[in-house]
């Protein structure tokens, strides 16, 4: 096991754009932590828990709604079951939950990376997103975070919001850069159907910005962060050298990961590495509390050809791309002549990097990665 | 006096013909309550769904009159759409009487009138019936007056019926006995049997539905089709019940079927005459015509690998539908497919839908067009049913296009919109004729090409659904016509070419370009969309290049979602057609058809 993801399904309120699983029944937090410990223990002495773990990621929901003691309880259980050799231990936080003593406690139990869900510093946008925090809380949280002295931290930003001007985006970037973040995740707003935003768009009450407009935002983010030394290394992820996310990068290169907690996803190669499985836990805290280790649903078996396709899909979203040797060795896959020809054409258009040992997209290519990936896969 | 009565039902779509027919079957005990499935005679799924009859049907009913006499009724159900006017005329020919069914809530429609006139011309006894009198909105008084004006009958001749409740149906059955003449039973003359329909049976081959006009056909007789002289043995003959009911002979006056191991339906042609080889009739029953396609369209498999499946499917469809014609066609844009000819737009839609439903083949159809006669500079005249085959402008002396005479019946308040529509479609006004009930029959001569697009829909929407349409081909007339080509990134897309009147070419070119701009998804490069006449570009537009197309988040749970989306996109991409480097969705090939969408809003 190389990564463990733990889903903390509690939130103060629903953000308008978010379709992750969460509940607002905060009195169940301790019951949840106990159930989580039970789920962790159910893996004890299985083959799955013999592999060393290099990253643990608490995501949500809102992990910062748990106390440091509760995290400690979870980490102790993990320590007991899995051989932890952590390079990275991340907790996602919301600005309104962060106090210096809380950060210090987290640091003392081994958390070395904080992920701050700022999204924007603009009051109007924060209200539009229905975030629980305001501008001053966002600023304060980053001040605390800079002072806390984690090995590294990351800040989330959302751009391409309806009505968001380039000026407002630039202000958000200015403010963000003043905290010298080693890592930034900047996402263009995605309208998910099962969200309040999705419903409003359906009803025509909100009109998402034109792609051309979002493209300008995207370019602005890439350029400005890049100038500050925070380089794009994946479609939505930017880092100073050496600060790239360990855990999230594992998803893109088919490293085994185990998801714990309701709605968490897992991915695991078979022992002979001829296929892999992906599954998720049921998104229901109620069921989870009753039987934490029996929530496996949506089990998918992925064959090598499917995995190869998926690896291309994920790898081409990263600046590093995918190596030909890796494709051959891990997936017994090599590009067809038509695919090579396609890449050559795209190389001439400046969308694909000219390289002999791997495929990767240029910054321009990344902007239309979905289209290029689809073309590449279907031109086999 | 014979106890046979052969009759058909003339009605407009929705006027309740099939329901009434069902009731006749039920009340004569031809089918039991248990077998009753609504609209028994419309046995194609498509017919039931659309509530229309596509093929003719016939069924033999036994009727016991209240006075104790027993009768044989042959009910011949006729197609109810203007595309099938010829089939209707042949079905009428097989009858001595016609039940004219008029919806008492709606009044008489154009097509009913045209079929009625045909029936009167063929000397059929008409039994007028007002249907749907169970509905509160029925207006038997006024609609009855329309009937009186039209056929000159007395009010007391009109029967009042509800196919739904069965009210008045016993009286109708008695009226059929009393009013419809029994057929002349000339059995000592040479055989003349009229084919009014044919179906293909996988095990038996083609089955001809016939009305014996004169003479006798015996089982085992050697017979021939008079139009093509093909000879067969009457292996099985019989009556048309719910199933085939074999018998030893069919005599003058009878309606039944003939099976002669006829392999291809093309030998069994509606309207042809069957006679025995021995003691053959010297003249066929008049009125036979070869089915002539009026509307043409390209049919291509979405997936090139399904070309052979498509061929097989068309062959099978043709077995049951002799009026469908097709030949292979190759398009640069769409690959291998077929150019098919149809009786009309409805016929085309039916074929397309059957390909999809019954054969599960995904097809792309091109914009329908009519057949043109092109007189070349060389003096030669050629027929062109495919715009991409239109000769170069310099080689053309003149182009002639088919004209139809269209008659439309409408409440008087809609005269304006109808005239406007006909003028826009290059119509030539002929006359108008006021009828009872503030209704008007308007007659125009129109280029057929202007009607095959969306004329009928426009007519309906412009008259809140009230107007009805009937038309017939009149002649070819010279027209100032040009071929309008569409180019994508400077490459012509043959399947998007159309033939249009010169005055309309600019407007249409602009519209098609705008529509394509809307339909063609943004690609990684800009796509220039142009309309041209010959080498002259008359309209242009462009699909801007894709600037952003990438999913924002792709972590644990997002990955399977992204994968599923990718699978869907892969399927979607298969349905796109590649022209040069440009990908075109299927809908684009009908862009010309739907280009008036905005106008409708």
């Amino acid at each position: 096991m190389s990564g463990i993801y733990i889903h903390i399904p509690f939130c103060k309120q629903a953000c308008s754009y978010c379709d992750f699983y969460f509940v607002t029944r905060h009195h169940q937090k301790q019951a949840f932590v106990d159930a989580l410990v039970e789920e962790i223990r159910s893996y004890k002495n299985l083959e799955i828990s013999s592999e060393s773990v290099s990253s643990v990621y608490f995501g949500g929901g809102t992990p910062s709604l748990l106390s440091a003691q509760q995290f400690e309880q979870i980490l102790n259980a993990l320590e007991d079951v899995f051989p932890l050799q952590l390079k990275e231990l991340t907790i996602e936080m919301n600005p309104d939950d962060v106090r210096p003593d809380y950060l210090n406690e987290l640091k003392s139990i081994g958390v070395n990376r904080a992920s701050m869900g700022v999204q924007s510093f603009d009051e109007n946008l924060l209200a539009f997103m229905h975030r629980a925090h305001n501008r001053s809380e966002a600023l304060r949280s980053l001040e605390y975070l800079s002072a806390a002295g984690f090995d590294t931290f990351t800040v989330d930003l959302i751009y391409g919001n309806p009505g968001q001007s380039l000026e407002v985006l630039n202000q958000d970037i200015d403010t963000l850069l003043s905290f010298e973040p080693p890592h930034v995740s900047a996402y263009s707003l995605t309208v998910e159907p099962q969200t309040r935003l999705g419903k409003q768009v359906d009803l025509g009450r909100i009109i998402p910005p034109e792609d051309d407009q979002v493209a300008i935002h995207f370019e602005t983010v890439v350029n400005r962060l890049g100038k500050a030394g925070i380089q794009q290394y994946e479609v939505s992820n930017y880092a100073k050298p050496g600060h790239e996310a360990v855990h999230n990068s594992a998803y893109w290169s088919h490293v085994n990961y185990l998801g714990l907690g309701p709605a968490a996803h897992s991915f695991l190669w078979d022992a002979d590495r001829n296929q892999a499985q992906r599954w998720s836990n049921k998104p229901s805290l109620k069921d989870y509390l009753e039987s934490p280790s029996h929530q496996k649903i949506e089990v998918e078996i992925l064959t090598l050809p499917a995995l190869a396709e998926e690896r291309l899909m994920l790898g081409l979203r990263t600046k590093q791309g995918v190596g030909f040797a890796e494709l051959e060795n891990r997936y017994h896959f090599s590009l067809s002549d038509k695919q090579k020809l396609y890449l050559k054409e795209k190389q001439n258009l400046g969308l694909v990097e000219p390289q002999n040992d791997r495929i990767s997209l240029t910054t321009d290519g990344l902007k239309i990665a979905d289209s290029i990936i689809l073309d590449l896969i279907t031109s086999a | 006096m014979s106890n046979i009565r052969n009759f058909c039902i003339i009605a407009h779509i929705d006027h309740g013909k099939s329901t009434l027919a069902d009731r006749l079957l039920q009340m004569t005990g031809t089918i039991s309550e248990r077998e009753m499935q609504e609209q028994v005679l419309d046995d194609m799924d498509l017919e039931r769904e659309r509530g229309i009859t596509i093929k003719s049907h016939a069924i033999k009913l036994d009727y016991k009159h209240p006075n104790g006499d027993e009768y044989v009724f042959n009910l011949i159900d006729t197609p109810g759409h203007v595309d099938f006017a010829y089939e209707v005329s042949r079905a009428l020919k097989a009858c001595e009487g016609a039940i004219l069914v008029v919806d008492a809530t709606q009044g008489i429609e154009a097509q009913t009138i045209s079929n009625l006139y045909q029936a009167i011309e063929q000397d059929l006894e008409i039994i007028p019936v007002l249907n749907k009198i169970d509905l509160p909105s029925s207006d038997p008084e006024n609609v009855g007056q329309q009937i009186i004006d039209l056929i000159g009958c007395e009010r007391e001749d009109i029967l009042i019926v509800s196919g739904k409740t069965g009210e008045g149906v016993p009286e109708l059955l008695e009226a059929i006995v009393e009013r419809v003449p029994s057929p002349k039973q000339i059995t000592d003359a040479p055989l003349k049997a009229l084919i009014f329909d044919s179906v293909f049976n996988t095990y038996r081959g083609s089955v001809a539905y016939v009305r014996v006009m004169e003479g006798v056909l015996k089982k085992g007789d050697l017979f021939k089709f008079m139009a093509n002289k093909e000879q067969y043995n009457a292996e099985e003959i019989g009556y048309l019940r719910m199933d085939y009911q074999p018998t030893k002979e069919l005599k003058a006056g009878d309606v039944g079927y003939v099976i002669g191991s006829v392999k291809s339906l093309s030998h069994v042609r509606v309207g042809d005459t069957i006679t025995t080889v021995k003691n053959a009739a010297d003249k066929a029953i008049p009125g036979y015509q070869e089915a002539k396609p009026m509307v043409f369209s390209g049919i291509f498999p979405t997936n090139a690998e399904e070309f052979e499946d498509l061929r097989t499917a068309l062959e099978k469809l043709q077995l049951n539908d002799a009026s469908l014609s097709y030949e292979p066609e190759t398009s640069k844009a769409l690959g291998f497919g077929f150019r098919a000819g149809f009786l009309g737009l409805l016929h085309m839609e039916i074929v397309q839908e059957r390909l999809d439903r019954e054969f599960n083949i995904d097809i792309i159809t091109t914009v329908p067009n009519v057949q043109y006669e092109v007189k070349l500079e060389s003096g030669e005249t050629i027929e062109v049913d495919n715009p991409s085959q239109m000769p170069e402008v310099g080689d053309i002396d003149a182009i002639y296009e088919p004209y139809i005479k269209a008659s439309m019946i409408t409440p008087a308040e809609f005269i304006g919109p109808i005239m406007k529509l006909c003028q826009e479609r290059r119509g030539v006004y002929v006359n108008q004729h006021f009828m009872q009930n503030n209704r008007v029959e308007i007659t125009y001569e129109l280029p057929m090409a202007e009607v095959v697009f969306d004329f009928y829909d426009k007519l309906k929407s412009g008259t809140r659904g009230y107007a009805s349409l009937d038309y017939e081909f009149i002649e070819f007339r010279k027209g100032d016509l040009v071929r309008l080509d569409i180019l994508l990134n400077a490459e012509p897309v043959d399947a998007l070419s159309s033939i249009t009147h010169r005055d309309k070419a600019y407007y249409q070119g602009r519209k098609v370009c705008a529509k394509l701009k809307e339909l063609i998804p943004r690609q990684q490069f800009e796509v220039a969309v142009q309309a041209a006449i010959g080498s002259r570009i008359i309209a242009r537009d462009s699909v801007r290049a894709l600037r952003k197309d990438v999913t924002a988040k792709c972590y644990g749970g997002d990955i399977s979602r992204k994968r599923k989306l990718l699978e869907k996109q892969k399927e979607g991409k298969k349905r796109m057609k590649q022209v040069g480097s440009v990908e075109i969705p299927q809908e684009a090939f009908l862009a010309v058809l739907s280009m008036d969408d905005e106008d409708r809003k």
Side-chain angles (χ1 to χ4, degrees), chain A residues 235-376:
Chain A
V235 170
S236 303
N237 285 284
Y238 307 78
K240 290 184 177 166
H243 286 270
E244 293 84 2
V246 174
H247 184 84
N248 283 344
S249 300
Y251 291 130
W252 307 322
S253 53
H254 280 152
V255 170
N256 285 342
Y257 56 87
L258 192 60
L260 304 169
H265 286 70
S266 305
F267 174 88
L268 191 67
W269 284 89
D270 281 9
D272 59 9
R273 297 191 79 83
N274 275 328
Q275 61 176 34
Q277 285 188 49
R278 179 176 284 123
W279 70 90
S280 69
N281 276 351
K282 197 173 165 189
S284 162
L285 180 61
K286 186 169 168 286
D287 291 357
Y288 187 76
L289 293 181
E290 276 168 24
S291 176
S293 56
H294 295 95
Q295 299 298 314
K296 218 174 174 181
I297 55 164
E298 294 179 351
V299 183
E300 259 185 292
I301 306 286
L302 299 158
T303 61
L304 273 190
L307 285 163
E309 206 168 85
E310 191 174 287
R311 179 71 181 98
L312 280 172
M313 170 185 107
L314 296 168
L316 289 186
R317 294 171 51 87
T318 66
K319 267 319 240 309
Q320 212 185 359
V322 192
F324 294 133
E326 186 202 330
L327 286 172
E328 289 217 26
N329 298 337
R330 272 175 108 192
Y331 305 94
H332 310 308
F333 175 86
S334 53
L335 293 176
S336 70
D337 290 346
K338 267 173 93 179
Q339 286 174 315
K340 285 180 195 155
L341 190 71
Y342 175 80
L343 288 172
K344 188 81 197 155
E345 278 170 26
K346 298 297 142 180
Q347 189 183 309
N348 294 339
L349 293 170
L351 299 170
V352 169
E353 297 281 5
Q355 289 164 120
N356 294 324
D357 60 336
R358 54 177 51 249
I359 331 168
S360 66
L361 304 186
T362 62
T363 309
D364 280 342
L366 282 182
K367 282 186 260 177
I368 54 165
D370 285 3
S371 157
I372 297 178
I373 290 163
L374 179 63
D375 279 357
L376 181 66

Side-chain angles (χ1 to χ4, degrees), chain B residues 36 38 82-83 96 110 155 182 189 192-193 222 229 298 315 317 401 423 440 446 474 480-481 517 520 564:
Chain B
M36 190 70 198
E38 259 187 50
V82 59
D83 284 2
E96 279 79 33
R155 186 164 282 277
S182 60
K192 278 185 186 178
L222 188 63
K229 316 278 189 283
E315 274 167 12
L317 279 183
E401 62 178 327
Q423 301 295 352
V440 187
L446 285 151
I474 41 179
D480 189 7
L481 302 169
K517 180 187 175 180
I520 296 175
K564 280 173 196 147

Side-chain angles (χ1 to χ4, degrees), chain A residues 81-115:
Chain A
V81 175
F82 299 95
L84 300 186
Q85 293 184 7
L86 296 184
K87 281 189 249 169
E88 187 187 275
L89 172 52
T90 307
I91 294 185
E92 287 181 354
M93 309 175 182
N94 275 358
D96 41 315
D97 297 327
V98 172
R99 296 287 178 283
D101 51 345
Y102 182 61
L103 293 176
N104 285 333
E105 283 170 27
L106 292 179
K107 205 180 144 197
S108 72
I109 59 167
V111 176
N112 63 5
R113 185 171 184 265
S115 170

Side-chain angles (χ1 to χ4, degrees), chain B residues 506-522:
Chain B
Y506 289 86
Y507 173 77
Q508 190 169 329
R510 273 201 305 278
K511 282 277 205 178
V512 176
C513 287
K515 191 76 195 172
L516 286 172
K517 180 187 175 180
E518 206 179 283
L519 289 173
I520 296 175
R522 292 171 71 172

Side-chain angles (χ1 to χ4, degrees), chain A residues 19 187 212 219 236-237 252 265 300 306 309-310 313 317 342 346 367-371 375 378, chain B residues 522 524 544 546-555 557 559-563 566-567 570 573:
Chain A
D19 68 347
Y187 305 105
D212 292 343
E219 283 155 18
S236 303
N237 285 284
W252 307 322
H265 286 70
E300 259 185 292
E309 206 168 85
E310 191 174 287
M313 170 185 107
R317 294 171 51 87
Y342 175 80
K346 298 297 142 180
K367 282 186 260 177
I368 54 165
D370 285 3
S371 157
D375 279 357
T378 50
Chain B
R522 292 171 71 172
Q524 289 167 19
R544 281 176 301 158
L546 202 56
R547 284 199 59 191
K548 182 187 167 288
D549 181 19
V550 63
T551 311
K553 280 193 174 194
C554 205
Y555 304 120
I559 298 174
S560 26
R561 281 207 290 182
K562 176 99 179 89
R563 256 197 75 81
L566 190 65
E567 291 304 325
K570 276 159 78 175
K573 213 176 139 94

